[in-house]
């Protein structure tokens, strides 16, 4: 048997948005709290967005595969 899929706990998850000097670019730090087999685990992600004409033109992301304590 496999593991149950992780479920995001939106109430405990958090994010911070950062503006840049380029009006088309912003950075998001995202800390989703996932419930994995009944245990809360926090992952840490960083995403860099480039937006043109109201649409995402480019998205780059990085994450730590190891859970973190916030």
């Amino acid at each position: 048997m496999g593991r149950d899929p992780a479920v995001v706990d939106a109430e405990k998850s958090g994010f911070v948005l950062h503006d840049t000097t380029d009006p088309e670019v912003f950075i998001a730090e995202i800390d989703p709290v996932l419930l994995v087999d009944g245990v809360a685990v926090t992952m840490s992600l960083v995403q860099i967005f480039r937006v043109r004409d109201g649409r995402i033109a480019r998205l780059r992301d990085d994450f730590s595969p190891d859970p973190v304590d916030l």
Side-chain angles (χ1 to χ4, degrees):
M1 294 214 133
R3 294 172 60 162
D4 290 334
V7 176
V8 176
D9 185 337
E11 289 185 17
K12 292 183 181 177
S13 297
F15 67 93
V16 177
L17 298 178
H18 301 276
D19 290 329
T20 67
T21 57
D22 184 336
E24 291 186 341
V25 176
F26 69 92
I27 299 168
E29 293 180 70
I30 306 167
D31 296 305
V33 175
L34 309 172
L35 298 176
V36 180
D37 295 333
V39 177
V41 176
T42 302
M43 301 301 290
S44 187
L45 304 104
V46 174
Q47 296 184 321
I48 304 168
F49 292 83
R50 178 171 294 279
V51 179
R52 288 196 186 111
D53 299 321
R55 300 183 69 164
I56 297 171
R58 186 167 189 184
L59 170 63
R60 297 178 68 185
D61 65 347
D62 190 19
F63 72 98
S64 171
D66 300 320
V68 295
D69 294 325
L70 295 177

